Amino acid sequence: MEIAASRLDCVSTHTEWELHHLTDLHLDERGFAEKELDARIKRIKDNPCAIWAGGGDYGGLILPGDPRSGDGWGDDVPPARIPDYVVEVVTEKLLPIRDKCIGFGIGNHERTVQLKFHRGVGAEIAANLGVSHLYLGMRGWMPVTFGLRLGTGEKKPTKTMTLKVYWHHGWSAGRSKSRKVLHEERDLGARGAHVHLVGHDHQPWINTWYEEDIYFASRNRKWKIRHMPVCFMNGGSWQYGQEPPVKGKAARKASEVPNDSWVESKNYRPEPPRSPVLHVLADFGAGADKASSFDGRPQGFDFREEMSSPRFYVE
């Protein structure tokens, strides 16, 4: 279990941040949604208040002997160079946003290569990006401390509050319709985190629950009740199932079930890549800047969910 700690500066008492979970990229596989991922990377790069966590399975790293071997970009790559190839490609793709990373984990695909090739490709990518200090392995915590400086002088105090993010690569959680809710309810009850990030099963999901807590209001010397949000987010996958967007007769065929476009063993139809975004409002409370005399709103976090999806079929 590892901990990757970050510190971010807020420009006002109300600053909204975007948290992106880049997991299951599978950059070397057939059906990789490169255009959509590039657009997301550009969004993160251009927004000064955007941060991201790496959720593992950056490449498929399909080994020789597997029936899926040779399905993607690595068709002409010698088997012995598969780890080198994926490290180079993933590093190049994520390099523009390396300074916005809050944690970098690995998935089952990196773990398989680690066992077969004795190569820690996830750790190598983290080192190439300059985020070795944020490397988590298969699971860990990402405490993100937001700071607000009061005044302009060097000796002015700084208020802080910490967003506790827990991450693990994820698991399929079964096949029942309620599996997502059962999964998040179990995880949210097991750890005192504000945000839980998972991946692995390629099915995007974001949901916010609320916990009840009490706090002591120092101004009027009374105990009060507040409701705190906790979010569970599955980052989905940056793949069009096993096939890229199609049109015409191919589009009609893709709607039939089952067909070759289905993801092996995952039992769901191909769909456009949908990776949710969590908007985190860092609210330092009323009177934090001393300009307001309003009493009653404590500092804390508020969440807003975003789930967008491009059209699957090409016009």
Side-chain angles (χ1 to χ4, degrees), residues 13-160:
T13 56
H14 292 70
T15 304
E16 183 174 302
W17 297 80
E18 288 184 358
L19 174 56
H20 301 257
H21 186 207
L22 300 185
T23 185
D24 296 272
L25 308 184
H26 294 275
L27 277 85
D28 60 336
E29 290 188 16
R30 180 161 51 101
F32 167 50
E34 183 175 17
K35 179 180 178 181
E36 287 78 7
L37 179 60
D38 287 345
R40 178 61 63 89
I41 289 175
K42 184 178 185 303
R43 171 177 172 174
I44 297 173
K45 179 182 178 182
D46 293 345
N47 184 354
C49 292
I51 52 180
W52 66 279
D57 283 2
Y58 306 103
L61 294 160
I62 303 301
L63 304 178
D66 190 302
R68 298 169 297 170
S69 181
D71 269 352
W73 292 1
D75 293 359
D76 57 347
V77 177
R81 283 218 63 227
I82 290 177
D84 296 325
Y85 173 78
V86 172
V87 168
E88 293 169 5
V89 173
V90 176
T91 298
E92 181 181 2
K93 185 66 69 175
L94 298 179
L95 202 60
I97 54 174
R98 62 178 178 176
D99 59 330
K100 294 174 173 283
C101 181
I102 62 169
F104 196 87
I106 62 172
N108 53 290
H109 286 264
E110 287 84 13
R111 179 62 176 164
T112 299
V113 168
Q114 181 177 335
L115 296 174
K116 298 291 184 179
F117 285 86
H118 304 287
R119 289 277 301 275
V121 293
E124 291 180 33
I125 296 170
N128 291 345
L129 295 175
V131 296
S132 295
H133 59 295
L134 300 176
Y135 181 69
L136 294 170
M138 290 294 291
R139 64 191 180 109
W141 288 83
M142 294 175 260
V144 183
T145 300
F146 296 92
L148 176 68
R149 184 165 295 280
L150 305 178
T152 58
E154 290 291 333
K155 296 182 180 181
K156 291 292 183 179
T158 300
K159 294 195 68 173
T160 62

Side-chain angles (χ1 to χ4, degrees), residues 237-249:
S237 172
W238 295 92
Q239 282 187 294
Y240 282 93
Q242 290 293 304
E243 296 287 348
V246 291
K247 59 183 177 180
K249 293 182 179 180

Side-chain angles (χ1 to χ4, degrees), residues 186-234:
R186 188 203 69 169
D187 275 13
L188 290 175
R191 303 172 183 90
H194 299 103
V195 181
H196 286 250
L197 301 178
V198 297
H200 181 63
D201 69 356
H202 296 194
Q203 297 187 7
W205 176 271
I206 185 169
N207 193 28
T208 300
W209 297 55
Y210 285 87
E211 294 181 345
E212 191 171 82
D213 188 24
I214 59 174
Y215 71 98
F216 187 72
S218 58
R219 286 194 178 184
N220 54 18
R221 310 288 296 176
K222 291 183 179 179
W223 284 96
K224 295 186 177 182
I225 297 175
R226 63 181 170 188
H227 293 87
M228 301 182 301
V230 289
C231 181
F232 190 91
M233 181 163 68
N234 187 313

Side-chain angles (χ1 to χ4, degrees), residues 256-268:
E256 301 171 0
V257 292
N259 61 59
D260 294 337
S261 294
W262 279 40
V263 176
E264 295 93 343
S265 78
K266 296 189 183 296
N267 196 30
Y268 63 91

